[in-house]
Every structure is written in structure tokens, then in C-alpha cells.
Amino acid sequence: DVSTPQWRPTYHFTPPQNWTNDPNGLIFLNGKYNLYFQNNPFENKWGHMSWGHATSTDLVHWDNLPVAIPEIVTKDTTTYIYSGSAVLDKNNTSGLGKDGKGPLVAIFTADKPKQHNESQYIAYSNDGGLSYTQYAGNPVIDLDKKDFRDPNVFWYEPTKQWIMTVAMVDEHMVRIYGSKNLKQWTRLSDFGPAGYTKSGWECPSMVPLVVNGDKSKVKWVLFVSAFTDRGPGMQYFVGDFDGTNFKSDNSATETLPVDGGDAFYAAIPWRLANHKATLMGWLVPGKPDTYPWRGQMSIPRDLSLRATSEGLRLIQQPAITIKDKLNTLSADGVFAMESTDLRDKEVPLPKAGKTNAYWIDAEFAMADVKVAGFKIAQNKDLPGNDIIIGYDAIKQQLFIDCTNAEKNNKQPANHIQAVHMRPMKLLNGLVKIQLLVDRNSVEVFGNDGEKVITTEIYPDAKSTGVSVFGNYVNVSLKLWRMDK
Ligand code: FRU
């Protein structure tokens, strides 16, 4: 295996070594973001599924901690620790706490490959989430099913109980359970099938979010992951939760994608105070091997809802915790370009850095313009390999175009489709683009988080050029190098 430092992200989470997929057990405790993650502690490929663990105060720098929940191996059976969630049981409803203090409780799927069984387990921690003990009464829910997984649990104050959403994978349904003690669960309702149902549903989660910043207006969003014919995908439903049922407002004919690309998957939220939530997803790796790690997380995304002419829509913005610190996170502060006229020009950004790790906030004034945006991963010795990211004012689409990279690169990502688009309108002739490039990923946020597209890229170490282009455009931008 050849080491691939050119693809190691600088401001996205990767385990120091070995495989990761889904984020698990996201919980904010005592000023620290806890990230557990699907992890193979022994190899750089999926297997031996366990919960890896890392914590961070700023969502950029991570302290890597020992495996928190290892696979369970006995003489005649192996139990994988699949995806799930973690809660602080403050009032010790479970009775699993110690010395008058409530435990942390992890709720996850125990997958038994030999028995073709997936059931829900709990495990508890009385050392702040470093290590967990399996509950002696496991499983807490067993329907004798092969595909039944990814419980996500939260406290629901109005009925004073724990609520779980869990995937009935092949039925394309989310089953909702309630519990007073995290041990006995009562089935409350089923949601679905609805929206995208061509493949198995995984990793459901449900959060209340504020609408248009008005704290008195709260609606619920239900997230579901499913692999589509374009690759990994997520959809969301906006609606109401009354403690028993989730009722969706989505139109019966429309599926709402969370992300327009082909990498963002299995995302779950950190639930924060005052109906705030930050979503983190797994970025599904492309074809080339990265080593000595494989798999990474997305940028954490602060969530909210905005009223649009089409209805309430999800807004995702790169976590403010990171955004606020860019000047100090950057290698050389901020580089600003004010109102540059781009009349049919391609303007290189020499400050973009030596490596493909940077963050750009840009605003384009698109008078008479067809297309404007950025060309990245440029290399003057290998012209025509670049990846184009921008806004097409004729098609009214935000896009990432990897056609050249897929055709010419020595290391194409092997996307099912090379072009990713999301419909988006100009706002008074302006378009805002936030472009987060981090070695082997691209995340583009349009119009303050109205649309997001994420994909994986595999440029060689020398293809790091960036330019901004457009015809009859004014652009103002800020750029932060992120390869300090
Ligand atoms: C999603 C998923 C989950 C499962 C986990 C296993 O990527 O398939 O449904 O719990 O990965 O690693």
C-alpha cells in the first residue's frame, strides 16, 4: 500500500489510520464535540465494525481516542457494532449510572452476520464516553429481521420520553419508538414509504429546526440515506412531529435531496440548545485507494429552515464554529479580491496555496453572464484536467463538473456521473458561492447554504492551481489557505 499524503484532508476529519464510514453517536458534552464513527480498527477496508472515537472543541482539530465500542467476538459468533446514536441520560432514567450521576448511553445496531440478524442494543459509559459496557439485557429491540438498523435517539420533553427513529431498510420506512428508560421500547408509528424508495433506507434521524430565524416557528426535518443510481444520496422530509407521528409536508411527487453530489451519506446531527443542530456526514470514498486511512467526514453543517416559494427548504451552512476562526486557521490569513472585472478572463489565484486545501467565499455579479466560477486542480503541464465549479445562469444551476478529471486524470474518482447540478436562482443578479476544497473533497454551498453539492476528487500533488473565471462578471472574494 502506497501512502497518499496528497489526499489527506487538513480540515476535515479522517482517522489517523484505517477505515471509517458513518458518523455515530454525535453528542456535544462539556464544550466538546464527540464524534464516534464506524471503524475497522485493524484494516483499511470495511470490516470488524466498531465505534472509533474522537473529540474536538472547534470541529477542525480532533483528539483521537481509543476505540469506544469494539465488535463482540465469542467462540461461535461475531457481533458488529453498526451505526447509532448516543445520549446523556442526565436523570439516570436507565438506572445504568454510577454514584448518583447519569450515564452516557449509546444506542446502536448489533449486526450478526452469521445469524442474518440486526437488533438494537444499548451500552453505557460512566467515564464520559471513553469506554462503554454492553447492557446485560440486550437486545432492547429485536424483530427477528435481517435489515433493521441505525437507531437515532433524542429526549422529547413534552411527553417526557426518549424517541427513537430506526430504519426498516427494505420496507423504505422509518419506525418510531418511545421509551421511558432506554431499555423498554414501545412502537409508536411508522413513516413511509415516501419519496425515494428504489433502494434500502438507512440512517434515519429527526430534528426540530427554526424557520427563518424566528424562534417561535419550529418544524421537524426527517433525514434518510439511500444509495441511488447516481451514487450515495440523502433525502429529507419537512413536517411535524407530535410525540407519536411524523407527518410530512413534502409534495407526493417530489424528492428533496440534501446534497446534489455523490459523496454525502449517512449524516446525523449534533443536537444543540435552542433547536440548533449541526449535521455531519460520511464522504463515501471514490475508486483510488487512500492510505493509511480510508473514508472521511464532511464539513459539519449548521442547519436551519427557510421559507421559499416552493415551501420550507433545508439550509446548510459550514459550521459557524469553523467559519468564525478562518483567519487564524489559515496559513497566511485572508486573501481578498474586491470587485474584479472578469470580462472573459480567467484570473489565476496565486495565493490559493501549494496544496489543494483552501476555503473561498465569493460573490459574483452576473450581468449578462452565462457561466462563472472556479477552475481548480489546475496544472500548466497537464492542461485540461481541471475541475470546474460554478453557476450556470442560463440553466440556473449550481454545478461541479469533473468531466475533464474523469477523462484525463491518472486517478479519476470513477463517478457514476461526472457533472453534478442543483437548480438555484440568482438573487438580484448576484450569486454567492462558498467553495471548500480539502485535498480529496469538494463541497460547494450556493446562496448561503440554499444548495449544496459534494464530491470526491483525486488530483495529483502538483495539480493545485486555482482560477476564477466568467464573462462580464464582477467578483469579490475571500480566500483562506488551509494547509498550515
Ligand atoms: C450506512 C451503513 C449503515 C450501517 C453501517 C455499517 O453506510 O450501511 O446502515 O449501520 O453502514 O457499517
Side-chain angles (χ1 to χ4, degrees):
D1 289 310
V2 183
S3 170
T4 58
Q6 74 275 22
W7 293 327
R8 170 82 84 172
T10 68
Y11 60 103
H12 287 69
F13 175 81
T14 50
Q17 58 194 33
N18 295 331
W19 169 270
T20 184
N21 53 297
D22 316 356
N24 295 151
L26 300 186
I27 182 165
F28 184 71
L29 266 184
N30 308 322
K32 280 190 182 160
Y33 293 89
N34 280 265
L35 163 64
Y36 298 95
F37 50 93
Q38 285 288 281
N39 177 225
N40 181 341
F42 311 112
E43 299 160 298
N44 208 21
K45 60 177 193 202
W46 191 92
H48 297 286
M49 294 326 289
S50 304
W51 277 25
H53 189 200
T55 59
S56 174
T57 53
D58 63 4
L59 292 169
V60 172
H61 302 99
W62 293 92
D63 289 328
N64 297 295
L65 297 164
V67 167
I69 315 182
E71 67 176 334
I72 307 165
V73 184
T74 63
K75 205 157 59 348
D76 34 40
T77 195
T78 298
T79 304
Y80 289 148
I81 312 302
Y82 267 21
S83 286
S85 50
V87 296
L88 176 64
D89 182 15
K90 280 209 287 285
N91 298 325
N92 200 16
T93 62
S94 62
L96 298 169
K98 206 175 143 187
D99 305 331
K101 273 182 74 185
L104 269 168
V105 177
I107 308 97
F108 53 89
T109 298
D111 177 277
K112 300 188 165 90
K114 263 199 201 157
Q115 286 80 357
H116 305 289
N117 177 269
E118 288 182 347
S119 64
Q120 313 321 321
Y121 271 34
I122 64 174
Y124 54 98
S125 170
N126 287 307
D127 63 2
L130 284 175
S131 66
Y132 284 80
T133 306
Q134 296 287 350
Y135 168 55
N138 279 332
V140 294
I141 308 177
D142 185 4
L143 304 181
D144 204 11
K145 281 178 72 68
K146 179 172 158 288
D147 291 288
F148 171 49
R149 59 180 177 266
D150 308 334
N152 193 275
V153 174
F154 60 93
W155 178 254
Y156 186 72
E157 186 56 29
T159 56
K160 298 220 174 334
Q161 66 172 338
W162 301 101
I163 298 292
M164 174 197 293
T165 54
V166 56
M168 307 278 284
V169 178
D170 300 324
E171 295 83 349
H172 313 111
M173 284 188 337
V174 175
R175 185 152 285 184
I176 302 178
Y177 286 89
S179 173
K180 293 282 180 197
N181 57 15
L182 295 163
K183 296 169 177 168
Q184 275 93 34
W185 292 89
T186 308
R187 178 179 162 188
L188 299 177
S189 65
D190 286 332
F191 172 78
Y196 186 86
T197 57
K198 286 193 222 150
S199 60
W201 280 20
E202 302 183 305
C203 302
S205 68
M206 193 163 69
V207 277
L209 296 175
V210 163
V211 179
N212 290 348
D214 174 354
K215 284 187 194 124
S216 67
K217 267 203 224 131
V218 171
K219 291 283 275 189
W220 287 74
V221 172
L222 173 67
F223 295 100
V224 178
S225 294
F227 274 75
T228 75
D229 49 14
R230 298 180 46 93
M234 283 185 71
Q235 61 177 328
Y236 70 97
F237 301 89
V238 184
D240 296 294
F241 177 63
D242 61 6
T244 304
N245 293 286
F246 175 80
K247 202 177 149 296
S248 165
D249 298 343
N250 287 25
S251 87
T253 52
E254 199 183 10
T255 298
L256 301 180
V258 175
D259 188 294
D262 62 352
F264 189 74
Y265 198 73
I268 54 169
W270 272 286
R271 299 162 195 280
L272 307 168
N274 302 320
H275 300 311
K276 293 214 163 115
T278 301
L279 191 72
M280 179 182 252
W282 170 42
L283 300 190
V284 181
K287 180 110 185 308
D289 266 330
T290 56
Y291 185 84
W293 82 98
R294 188 152 165 79
Q296 70 172 86
M297 297 305 160
S298 72
I299 202 79
R301 304 169 177 191
D302 291 349
L303 301 179
S304 58
L305 285 167
R306 198 180 286 164
T308 72
S309 54
E310 283 130 40
L312 295 179
R313 292 293 180 264
L314 183 71
I315 302 299
Q316 304 169 71
Q317 289 175 294
I320 194 76
T321 319
I322 304 178
K323 166 95 200 184
D324 275 353
K325 299 240 171 67
L326 285 178
N327 284 353
T328 48
L329 289 169
S330 163
D332 51 7
V334 59
F335 163 74
M337 222 168 101
E338 280 305 324
S339 286
T340 303
D341 182 347
L342 285 182
R343 221 162 286 258
D344 276 319
K345 274 191 300 211
E346 195 177 305
V347 179
L349 300 177
K351 285 272 179 182
K354 299 183 199 96
T355 72
N356 284 312
Y358 47 89
W359 177 312
I360 300 175
D361 279 7
E363 188 172 280
F364 294 87
M366 313 258 308
D368 280 330
V369 191
K370 298 192 193 87
V371 184
F374 297 93
K375 297 187 181 175
I376 69 159
Q378 290 186 309
N379 181 342
K380 54 178 172 350
D381 300 326
L382 289 169
N385 273 3
D386 39 356
I387 292 156
I388 309 167
I389 296 129
Y391 184 68
D392 184 325
I394 296 174
K395 295 188 185 139
Q396 305 206 341
Q397 302 267 10
L398 180 72
F399 68 87
I400 299 181
D401 184 344
C402 299
T403 310
N404 294 335
E406 286 297 302
K407 249 199 322 228
N408 304 329
N409 255 6
K410 276 186 256 136
Q411 300 281 11
N414 285 86
H415 297 286
I416 297 173
Q417 291 184 35
V419 183
H420 307 288
M421 294 197 209
R422 289 288 286 136
M424 193 172 86
K425 295 223 162 60
L426 284 172
L427 300 169
N428 305 318
L430 298 176
V431 62
K432 286 192 193 171
I433 294 183
Q434 276 188 299
L435 175 60
L436 278 55
V437 177
D438 196 6
R439 302 282 181 81
N440 78 168
S441 68
V442 177
E443 286 160 297
V444 57
F445 294 76
N447 287 349
D448 294 318
E450 186 189 305
K451 295 288 156 65
V452 190
I453 308 177
T454 303
T455 196
E456 297 264 325
I457 57 170
Y458 296 88
D460 65 79
K462 287 186 186 143
S463 299
T464 57
V466 185
S467 47
V468 53
F469 76 95
N471 34 359
Y472 301 94
V473 194
N474 269 302
V475 63
S476 6
L477 66 83
K478 285 183 174 161
L479 179 148
W480 294 266
R481 271 179 56 192
M482 299 295 279
D483 49 3
K484 186 148 118 179

